[in-house]
Amino acid sequence: MLIGVIVFILVGCGLFLYNRMTVPKYGVLAVTKNENKISFKTQLTVLTWNIGFSALGAKADLVIDGGKNLRALPQGEIEKAAKAIANKVVDIDADAVLLQETANAGFLTRGVDVQGHINERLTAYSQCFWADFQTRFVPAPLKLCHGMASYARNHLLQTHALNLPQDPYYYYGFLKKYYGAIIQEYPIEGKTGLWVVINIHLSAFDEGANIRKLQMKALFDYAQKAYEAGHYVIIGGDWNMRLSKTEFPHMSKGKAVFEGYDLIQKDVPKGWVICADPKAASLRSLSSAYVKGQTYTSIVDGFVISPNVSVKTIETIDLGFEHTDHHPVFARFSTIG
């Protein structure tokens, strides 16, 4: 009996330390379904969407955002949301798709393979998933595998993950969300420069946005070098910073109001442009279930583009936060020169 207890403790400690010390892979990433050899045009449509692992729909709250629950929705609703999100991504029909907070089957998704549902629908796209929050050697009901995914309709030259400055915080002492950017390069018909499309999800709860500022510096250092090399750069995703000073009606107070940092022109390299739709919110608070006009909302999802790229149209698609706490943002870009 005593030996069994000792073995259990040692195994538990080993798993604790292993999960705490293991970091995700940075550098070149594996891509599947990359058989399409057609080059992109000088116009490119891009969709970015934080899908909240399909478990943060309108009825949900979340404890780390001031709510009461870690898993607010039943499995059936998560499954329904995953399928609805996958269908919507297909309907939007973008050349490049940048998703944040997607997930394989696990504890927070109640066993629903969210990533699998999306991959099944995006069969015409190359597919890449990068895990930024996961457990290892943990029993199936408790495992976690969350991250970001990037998809491209046409020819993809390379995909890699850029290591960004990390938030020091650990959940429960051993679970850590790591930060990186998925960078993809697409050839452009008639151009020597490439489309460089960067998928990001920056830190959310760092005091004073100190980590976010460091992440932005690393991100823009890389992006500026790509631009100076003659490439056309689009950075898209969940910035966890307000991209427009638009205020939307709400009755929220305290922690329910996202204490964000405004991304303003001085934060980006000279000549780069912040692109967001000021007409619709892209994020809602998870302190309670969503109620239009009462729940706090803001704009944190969008793009920053290099000086040789122009934005033709940008739209936040208002879905009433039915299946996730973010709205999709769709934009059309074009090269300049």
Side-chain angles (χ1 to χ4, degrees), residues 146-157:
H146 294 224
M148 304 191 295
S150 289
Y151 301 83
R153 191 201 307 274
N154 289 351
H155 186 36
L156 168 63
L157 289 178

Side-chain angles (χ1 to χ4, degrees), residues 316-333:
T316 297
I317 302 169
D318 191 339
L319 302 175
F321 299 106
E322 182 178 6
H323 298 303
T324 175
D325 59 322
H326 289 251
H327 281 145
V329 181
F330 175 78
R332 187 179 303 277
F333 301 100

Side-chain angles (χ1 to χ4, degrees), residues 45-324:
T45 56
V46 186
L47 167 69
T48 180
W49 196 0
N50 182 327
I51 64 171
F53 47 95
S54 298
L56 300 176
K59 298 177 184 177
D61 62 29
L62 188 65
V63 65
I64 62 172
D65 207 16
K68 299 178 180 179
N69 296 289
L70 188 58
R71 300 192 302 173
L73 301 181
Q75 184 186 58
E77 291 196 27
I78 297 173
E79 184 88 36
K80 179 181 176 181
K83 292 178 179 178
I85 289 169
N87 289 338
K88 190 63 182 179
V89 170
V90 172
D91 289 344
I92 292 173
D93 193 34
D95 295 322
V97 177
L98 315 179
L99 300 183
Q100 304 86 41
E101 288 194 6
T102 184
N104 295 327
F107 177 74
L108 294 179
T109 68
R110 295 188 184 271
V112 177
D113 185 1
V114 175
Q115 184 65 28
H117 282 298
I118 295 169
N119 286 349
E120 285 174 5
R121 295 304 316 278
L122 291 180
T123 54
Y125 291 72
S126 61
Q127 305 174 353
C128 176
F129 172 79
W130 181 73
D132 58 21
F133 186 72
Q134 67 176 321
T135 54
R136 295 163 178 84
F137 301 111
V138 172
L142 298 176
K143 73 177 182 179
L144 299 167
C145 187
H146 294 224
M148 304 191 295
S150 289
Y151 301 83
R153 191 201 307 274
N154 289 351
H155 186 36
L156 168 63
L157 289 178
Q158 178 177 268
T159 299
H160 69 277
L162 175 70
N163 192 350
L164 296 179
Q166 303 299 324
D167 192 319
Y169 181 75
Y170 283 86
Y171 296 93
Y172 307 109
F174 74 101
L175 291 176
K176 184 178 180 65
K177 176 176 170 56
Y178 287 89
Y179 291 93
I182 300 178
I183 300 171
Q184 296 198 315
E185 299 175 351
Y186 317 144
I188 307 172
E189 187 177 81
K191 296 277 189 180
T192 55
L194 308 171
W195 281 117
V196 177
V197 180
I198 305 177
N199 184 358
I200 64 162
H201 185 192
L202 301 188
S203 185
F205 302 108
D206 53 318
E207 186 175 350
N210 293 324
I211 302 299
R212 275 168 284 183
K213 292 172 185 176
L214 293 174
Q215 290 170 347
M216 280 197 299
K217 183 181 185 308
L219 184 64
F220 288 131
D221 282 350
Y222 180 92
Q224 179 69 17
K225 288 177 183 177
Y227 162 64
E228 290 173 355
H231 302 311
Y232 304 86
V233 186
I234 298 170
I235 308 170
D238 178 357
W239 295 80
N240 272 315
M241 290 178 279
R242 193 169 63 157
L243 304 185
S244 170
K245 292 187 176 181
T246 307
E247 295 282 357
F248 300 99
H250 68 89
M251 299 177 65
S252 301
K253 296 180 180 179
K255 193 174 180 180
V257 177
F258 181 69
E259 294 182 4
Y261 174 85
D262 285 352
L263 180 64
I264 56 178
Q265 200 59 45
K266 72 176 182 64
D267 295 321
V268 305
K270 184 178 180 180
W272 290 63
V273 178
I274 301 167
C275 306
D277 177 5
K279 301 185 296 298
S282 73
L283 165 75
R284 66 105 169 172
S285 168
L286 284 164
S287 61
S288 60
Y290 175 67
V291 179
K292 186 175 182 178
Q294 296 185 27
T295 302
Y296 174 80
T297 60
S298 187
I299 298 172
V300 302
D301 302 273
F303 304 90
V304 174
I305 57 177
S306 56
N308 57 352
V309 177
S310 67
V311 58
K312 300 301 183 183
T313 60
I314 185 166
E315 179 188 8
T316 297
I317 302 169
D318 191 339
L319 302 175
F321 299 106
E322 182 178 6
H323 298 303
T324 175

